[in-house]
Amino acid sequence: MGLVSRFNNLFTRYTLRDAIFSSKYISYIVYRMRFFLVVSLISLSVEIVELFLIRGAISALLIEKIVFMRLALSLAAAGWWGCLEIMREYVRGRYSFSDRLATNESISHWLVLSVIFAAWVVIFTMGYFLHQNFQFSPFENLIFQLYIIGFAIACILEFWIETYRSGALAIRRIYRPLTSIIGPGILSLIILILLWHFFGVIGLPFAFIIARLLDGAVKVYYIGVTYRNLRLRPLIFPRIKSFFKFCLKVPKFNSIMSYLAGIALSIETLLFILFFSDMKSYPNFILYLFMLRLIYHSYSSWGLAFFYYDFKKMCEEAYPPFYNQFLKALLIASVVISLIFYTMTIPLTYYFYREHLLLYSAVILVFFIFVSIFSYMEIHTFSQNRYADLIASSIIGVGLFLIGVYFYPSFLGISLSLIIALIAIVLLLIKSWLPSMATINSIKKQSIYTLLFNLKNSKSGFIINKIKTNPQAGRKKLNQFLSELALSMDQRGWICPLRSNEFLIIETQKHATIDKKTVLNTNPSLTKSFHPFPVATRIDCLNFVHREFQKEASDNPFLNRLKGDLDLDTQILTLFKESFPEDHEFDLLHVNWIYTQADKQAIYAAIEASYLVPLAIMRELSYSSALFFKSVPILFLIKKEDKKFKNLFNWNKFIHYMNLEKFKKIGYKLS
């Protein structure tokens, strides 16, 4: 392949569905991050230029306090982003049931709350710095106060914009053309240089404020476009009465946990603050340390920036069985990213400390690699609502760092303590140690396979409510019915559709809220039958689901044709070829698509529909499909035709049953 072809491939559009169902994980990651290096370098250039302009004009003490203010506010913003997961979960749930009124209202409430919380952060943080008795000259004191004003404006703006953005991001990605991404950075650099030229160092705080306003305006415009495409219109000023009701309903414990988890997402920033505090006794090291921080900070959040949406989608929709393959592909990407940015530190280390080039370079290399791995491991953990794991691992990491610094206060000891702390955090995040947390009203329709991934044991046991609705009811009425039931469930539970008019509601016994009276009060004319089934454990719960499929398989013609003494996988492939000679099966690791892009989208929709409602046939779709899980999943794709309608329906039910049989034998594990 020539260089031109390789370059053109960067602009070939890949989706998460392509990554999963065409095994194009690396191609998808490259496509998502195709402009990452350019954008990061522009952002890095602005910060480096600003640092070099101020270092010769003001004291090192003032630079230190400015940097510390930035870091403190960035930690507060990271915590707020974590807290917004409560809103994002709620918005996903309401929007999945087409409840736009509740979606708009929720986003509006959080927008007001963001301004209130940002004001509190500004008052607390800036009050602390203003009341410190720093030995600044009158001119430096003016610069310091201007930066405080700039940071206050930036903080309130960032909190509000991130809240506004999160409401849309909960549902879909926010499209921005390349010019809107790199344009504000280039303009910020030009404004910075011009204000420095005409006003000197006093122009730098104003350049910072203008840059934030410019970047914010561009973001708000494209977020607004996304809202219009989603047909949502959140109010800037909701009704006061409804806002106070909302504040009372916000889960306090979950808010605190998600906020702390958000701070844990930026644990490398906290470690840097501690590292910097211990390295202040090495005055020649300060500028070098700042430069390293700017370089690693320019890529340290790549996992959050590019793949948060994918992680949430893979956790909550039909994709859990492919989750580990995606993680492996991201591991490769994380190492490559860290090496690219590491090369920038080599000339820097040579310039400052050429006599220790090998030692410093080795320490930095290990640190950069693990910062990059942590970048996607942290968002992977956060997306699974493993807040306790994230918080606990961060506390252990910080503890290890402080212990190392206490016993080995030399430069090498402090550096190694930092690396050991980061490695420990990454290793602890690989496995789930503590229970994951649900967020308020996050109930939405989920597939049986997602249930396998998310369902954890409960000491109180489970209650499974099997509900049938009127088959004549329209989709709009059914969505409204499910939305009202989801709101009644108050954050803990699952809705698993079996057919178009039959679904399971699964709750823990301790927090069960759905009973026959609740269902009938919600919509008596829509409810055809209601049957509760108490079960003790996760395995019992999944066995119940398995029995539902077993009922369907009892007279399935494909199941009756299996022979116990032959290899099961080979028999299934043979059955498919005999029953559907004109259709296709694909090995997902070696797919060679022969369809157009339009056909691909129809095929993907068929796969997801089959997962979500496994015992129903979607008449409006042009394909029927099913995935058979083995070491390498097999996709069976059948073109819909009237003459084979019954046969393909039986085939889909057969494949789902065989999947659950496989999962049952290994204790319902997906990996």
Side-chain angles (χ1 to χ4, degrees), residues 449-485:
Y449 299 95
T450 308
L451 184 68
L452 294 178
F453 188 82
N454 290 329
L455 190 63
K456 310 295 182 186
N457 263 323
S458 170
K459 292 180 181 178
S460 65
F462 298 90
I463 184 78
I464 303 174
N465 298 306
K466 185 178 177 182
I467 301 175
K468 279 188 179 180
T469 58
N470 188 338
Q472 305 302 320
R475 184 177 296 178
K476 185 176 180 181
K477 281 187 177 180
L478 185 59
N479 273 337
Q480 185 179 358
F481 175 66
L482 293 175
S483 180
E484 290 178 22
L485 287 180

Coordinates of all heavy atoms in Angstrom, one line a residue, residues 449-485:
Y449 N -27.6 -10.1 27.1 CA -26.1 -10.2 27.2 C -25.5 -9.1 28.0 O -24.5 -9.3 28.7 CB -25.5 -10.2 25.8 CG -26.0 -11.4 24.9 CD1 -27.1 -11.2 24.1 CD2 -25.4 -12.6 25.0 CE1 -27.6 -12.3 23.4 CE2 -25.9 -13.7 24.3 CZ -27.0 -13.6 23.5 OH -27.5 -14.6 22.8
T450 N -26.1 -7.9 28.0 CA -25.7 -6.9 28.9 C -26.0 -7.2 30.3 O -25.2 -6.9 31.2 CB -26.4 -5.5 28.5 OG1 -26.3 -5.3 27.1 CG2 -25.8 -4.4 29.2
L451 N -27.1 -7.9 30.6 CA -27.4 -8.4 31.9 C -26.4 -9.3 32.4 O -26.0 -9.2 33.6 CB -28.8 -9.1 31.9 CG -29.4 -9.5 33.2 CD1 -29.7 -8.3 34.1 CD2 -30.6 -10.4 33.1
L452 N -25.9 -10.2 31.6 CA -24.8 -11.1 32.0 C -23.6 -10.3 32.5 O -22.9 -10.7 33.4 CB -24.3 -12.0 30.8 CG -25.3 -13.0 30.3 CD1 -24.7 -13.7 29.1 CD2 -25.8 -14.0 31.4
F453 N -23.3 -9.2 31.8 CA -22.1 -8.4 32.1 C -22.3 -7.6 33.4 O -21.4 -7.4 34.2 CB -21.9 -7.4 30.9 CG -20.6 -6.7 31.0 CD1 -19.5 -7.2 30.5 CD2 -20.6 -5.4 31.4 CE1 -18.3 -6.5 30.6 CE2 -19.4 -4.6 31.5 CZ -18.3 -5.2 31.0
N454 N -23.6 -7.1 33.6 CA -23.8 -6.1 34.7 C -24.3 -6.7 36.0 O -24.1 -6.1 37.1 CB -24.7 -5.0 34.2 CG -24.1 -4.1 33.2 OD1 -22.9 -3.9 33.2 ND2 -24.9 -3.6 32.3
L455 N -25.0 -7.8 35.9 CA -25.7 -8.3 37.1 C -24.7 -8.8 38.1 O -23.9 -9.7 37.8 CB -26.7 -9.4 36.7 CG -27.7 -9.8 37.8 CD1 -28.6 -8.7 38.2 CD2 -28.5 -11.0 37.3
K456 N -24.8 -8.3 39.3 CA -23.9 -8.8 40.4 C -24.8 -9.4 41.5 O -26.0 -9.2 41.6 CB -23.2 -7.6 41.1 CG -22.4 -6.7 40.1 CD -21.3 -7.4 39.4 CE -20.6 -6.5 38.4 NZ -19.6 -7.2 37.6
N457 N -24.2 -10.3 42.4 CA -25.0 -10.9 43.4 C -25.5 -9.9 44.4 O -24.9 -8.9 44.7 CB -24.1 -12.0 44.1 CG -24.3 -13.4 43.6 OD1 -25.4 -13.7 43.3 ND2 -23.2 -14.1 43.5
S458 N -26.6 -10.3 45.0 CA -27.2 -9.4 46.0 C -27.6 -10.3 47.2 O -28.1 -11.4 47.1 CB -28.5 -8.8 45.5 OG -29.3 -8.2 46.5
K459 N -27.2 -9.8 48.4 CA -27.5 -10.6 49.6 C -29.0 -10.8 49.8 O -29.4 -11.9 50.4 CB -26.9 -9.9 50.9 CG -25.4 -9.9 50.9 CD -24.9 -9.2 52.1 CE -23.4 -9.2 52.1 NZ -22.8 -8.5 53.3
S460 N -29.8 -9.9 49.4 CA -31.3 -10.0 49.6 C -32.0 -10.8 48.5 O -33.1 -11.1 48.6 CB -31.9 -8.6 49.6 OG -31.7 -7.9 48.4
G461 N -31.2 -11.2 47.5 CA -31.9 -11.9 46.4 C -32.5 -11.0 45.4 O -32.4 -9.8 45.5
F462 N -33.2 -11.6 44.4 CA -33.8 -10.8 43.3 C -35.3 -11.1 43.2 O -35.8 -12.2 43.6 CB -33.1 -11.1 42.0 CG -31.7 -10.8 41.9 CD1 -30.7 -11.7 42.3 CD2 -31.2 -9.6 41.5 CE1 -29.4 -11.4 42.3 CE2 -29.9 -9.2 41.5 CZ -29.0 -10.2 41.9
I463 N -36.0 -10.2 42.6 CA -37.4 -10.5 42.2 C -37.5 -10.2 40.7 O -37.0 -9.2 40.2 CB -38.4 -9.6 43.0 CG1 -39.8 -9.9 42.6 CG2 -38.1 -8.1 42.7 CD1 -40.3 -11.1 43.3
I464 N -38.0 -11.2 39.9 CA -38.1 -11.1 38.5 C -39.6 -10.9 38.2 O -40.4 -11.8 38.5 CB -37.5 -12.3 37.8 CG1 -36.1 -12.5 38.1 CG2 -37.7 -12.1 36.3 CD1 -35.5 -13.7 37.6
N465 N -40.0 -9.8 37.6 CA -41.4 -9.6 37.2 C -41.5 -9.8 35.7 O -40.9 -9.1 34.9 CB -41.8 -8.2 37.6 CG -41.8 -7.9 39.0 OD1 -42.4 -8.7 39.8 ND2 -41.1 -6.9 39.5
K466 N -42.3 -10.8 35.3 CA -42.5 -11.0 33.9 C -43.8 -10.4 33.5 O -44.9 -10.7 34.0 CB -42.6 -12.5 33.6 CG -42.7 -12.9 32.2 CD -42.7 -14.4 32.0 CE -42.9 -14.8 30.5 NZ -43.0 -16.3 30.4
I467 N -43.7 -9.4 32.5 CA -44.9 -8.6 32.1 C -45.1 -8.8 30.7 O -44.2 -8.7 29.8 CB -44.6 -7.1 32.5 CG1 -44.4 -7.0 34.0 CG2 -45.8 -6.3 32.0 CD1 -44.0 -5.5 34.4
K468 N -46.4 -9.0 30.4 CA -46.9 -9.0 29.0 C -47.8 -7.9 28.8 O -48.6 -7.5 29.6 CB -47.6 -10.3 28.6 CG -46.8 -11.5 28.3 CD -47.6 -12.7 27.9 CE -46.8 -13.9 27.5 NZ -47.6 -15.0 27.0
T469 N -47.6 -7.2 27.6 CA -48.5 -6.0 27.3 C -49.3 -6.4 26.1 O -49.1 -7.4 25.4 CB -47.6 -4.8 27.0 OG1 -46.7 -5.1 25.9 CG2 -46.8 -4.4 28.2
N470 N -50.3 -5.5 25.9 CA -51.2 -5.7 24.7 C -50.4 -5.6 23.4 O -49.8 -4.6 23.2 CB -52.3 -4.6 24.8 CG -53.4 -4.8 23.8 OD1 -53.2 -5.5 22.8 ND2 -54.5 -4.2 24.0
P471 N -50.4 -6.7 22.6 CA -49.6 -6.6 21.4 C -50.1 -5.6 20.4 O -49.3 -5.3 19.4 CB -49.8 -8.1 20.8 CG -51.0 -8.6 21.4 CD -51.1 -7.9 22.8
Q472 N -51.3 -5.1 20.6 CA -51.8 -4.0 19.6 C -51.3 -2.6 20.0 O -51.5 -1.7 19.2 CB -53.3 -4.0 19.6 CG -54.0 -5.4 19.3 CD -53.5 -5.9 18.0 OE1 -53.4 -5.2 17.0 NE2 -53.3 -7.2 17.9
A473 N -50.7 -2.5 21.2 CA -50.2 -1.2 21.6 C -49.1 -0.7 20.7 O -48.2 -1.4 20.3 CB -49.7 -1.3 23.0
G474 N -49.1 0.6 20.4 CA -48.1 1.2 19.6 C -46.8 1.4 20.3 O -46.7 1.3 21.6
R475 N -45.7 1.7 19.6 CA -44.4 1.8 20.2 C -44.3 3.0 21.2 O -43.7 3.0 22.2 CB -43.3 2.0 19.1 CG -41.9 2.0 19.7 CD -40.9 2.1 18.5 NE -40.9 0.9 17.7 CZ -40.1 0.8 16.7 NH1 -39.3 1.7 16.3 NH2 -40.2 -0.4 16.0
K476 N -45.0 4.1 20.8 CA -45.0 5.3 21.6 C -45.6 5.0 23.0 O -45.1 5.4 24.0 CB -45.8 6.4 20.9 CG -45.7 7.8 21.6 CD -46.3 8.9 20.8 CE -46.3 10.2 21.6 NZ -46.9 11.3 20.8
K477 N -46.8 4.3 23.0 CA -47.5 4.0 24.3 C -46.6 3.1 25.1 O -46.5 3.2 26.3 CB -48.8 3.4 24.0 CG -49.9 4.4 23.6 CD -51.3 3.7 23.6 CE -52.4 4.7 23.2 NZ -53.7 4.1 23.2
L478 N -46.0 2.1 24.5 CA -45.2 1.1 25.2 C -43.9 1.8 25.8 O -43.6 1.6 26.9 CB -44.7 0.0 24.3 CG -43.9 -1.1 24.9 CD1 -44.7 -1.8 26.0 CD2 -43.5 -2.1 23.9
N479 N -43.3 2.7 25.1 CA -42.2 3.5 25.6 C -42.5 4.3 26.8 O -41.8 4.4 27.8 CB -41.6 4.4 24.5 CG -40.5 3.7 23.6 OD1 -39.9 2.7 24.1 ND2 -40.3 4.2 22.4
Q480 N -43.7 5.0 26.7 CA -44.2 5.8 27.8 C -44.4 4.9 29.1 O -44.1 5.3 30.2 CB -45.5 6.5 27.4 CG -45.9 7.5 28.5 CD -47.2 8.3 28.0 OE1 -47.7 8.1 26.9 NE2 -47.7 9.1 28.9
F481 N -45.0 3.8 28.8 CA -45.3 2.8 29.9 C -44.0 2.4 30.6 O -43.9 2.4 31.8 CB -46.0 1.6 29.3 CG -46.3 0.5 30.3 CD1 -47.1 0.7 31.4 CD2 -45.7 -0.7 30.1 CE1 -47.4 -0.4 32.2 CE2 -45.9 -1.8 31.0 CZ -46.8 -1.6 32.0
L482 N -43.0 2.0 29.8 CA -41.7 1.5 30.3 C -41.0 2.7 31.0 O -40.3 2.5 32.0 CB -40.9 0.9 29.2 CG -41.4 -0.4 28.6 CD1 -40.5 -0.8 27.4 CD2 -41.4 -1.5 29.6
S483 N -41.1 3.9 30.5 CA -40.4 5.0 31.1 C -41.0 5.3 32.5 O -40.2 5.6 33.4 CB -40.6 6.3 30.2 OG -40.0 7.4 30.7
E484 N -42.3 5.2 32.6 CA -42.9 5.4 33.9 C -42.5 4.3 34.9 O -42.3 4.6 36.1 CB -44.4 5.5 33.8 CG -44.9 6.8 33.1 CD -46.4 6.8 32.9 OE1 -47.1 6.2 33.7 OE2 -46.9 7.6 32.0
L485 N -42.4 3.1 34.5 CA -42.0 2.0 35.3 C -40.5 2.2 35.7 O -40.1 2.0 36.9 CB -42.1 0.7 34.6 CG -43.6 0.1 34.5 CD1 -43.5 -1.2 33.8 CD2 -44.3 0.0 35.8

